[in-house]
Amino acid sequence: MPKEIIYRYTEHLGIERPVILLPFNNPENENIVIELNAIVDSGADKSHSFKEIGEALGIEFPKKTNVQMSGLYGTESGWSAPIQVRIRDKKIIIDAVWANREFNPEEDFPFILGRETIFDKYDIEFTKDKRIIFRE
């Protein structure tokens, strides 16, 4: 039987969504840990967040690769840098994209968990009773 980790949807921006509170840290400095609301997004190829959140985690962006990212809001510049997330007892390093624009808590999700890496490690199911099930 596969191991299951079950989360419940959380209200974010007034709507119940597949948002889960997870601890993140910079793999180069595990002393800085920040818990962020992360939306599990099967429509996003890559995981992404914002420069100011990355800086709070100790990421030094001038040393990272510049990238262009596109999505719902068009195309914008950013950086590629790894981040570590802990899902229950498993630490996973994700290659994330960090947007070079200000994080707006009234409109943005602090972190978007995309398909790359997370969906390779788990079978993820979104249920009609508003649960997210991670199966190893």
Side-chain angles (χ1 to χ4, degrees):
M1 179 99 175
K3 181 178 173 185
E4 290 186 347
I5 303 167
I6 300 172
Y7 295 98
R8 291 209 144 291
Y9 281 31
T10 310
E11 187 175 309
H12 186 77
L13 304 176
I15 300 171
E16 285 189 329
R17 304 174 193 261
V19 173
I20 53 181
L21 186 65
L22 295 172
F24 289 83
N25 68 277
N26 180 346
E28 296 173 5
N29 181 356
E30 292 195 25
N31 294 325
I32 301 171
V33 178
I34 298 176
E35 288 192 334
L36 298 171
N37 279 320
I39 187 164
V40 182
D41 188 350
S42 63
D45 294 330
K46 295 194 71 77
S47 295
H48 59 279
S49 187
F50 298 87
K51 179 183 178 190
E52 68 188 83
I53 293 172
E55 288 174 336
L57 287 161
I59 296 173
E60 297 178 31
F61 287 105
K63 298 178 180 178
K64 302 303 176 189
T65 305
N66 287 320
V67 296
Q68 292 294 312
M69 54 191 285
S70 29
L72 293 174
Y73 304 110
T75 301
E76 56 191 341
S77 64
W79 295 269
S80 179
I83 192 70
Q84 185 168 269
V85 61
R86 195 175 78 236
I87 298 178
R88 203 60 62 82
D89 58 349
K90 184 179 272 188
K91 293 180 180 180
I92 301 166
I93 294 180
I94 301 168
D95 186 28
V97 176
W98 303 85
N100 187 20
R101 71 174 173 82
E102 191 172 317
F103 169 65
N104 180 346
E106 299 298 318
E107 297 178 6
D108 298 319
F109 294 100
F111 201 91
I112 296 177
L113 280 175
R115 287 190 326 267
E116 192 175 286
T117 308
I118 293 297
F119 284 70
D120 295 335
K121 304 262 185 221
Y122 296 96
D123 288 324
I124 299 175
E125 179 184 354
F126 302 88
T127 68
K128 67 182 178 183
D129 64 345
K130 300 184 179 177
R131 294 178 302 146
I132 313 150
I133 303 171
F134 288 69
R135 289 187 186 91
E136 291 187 66

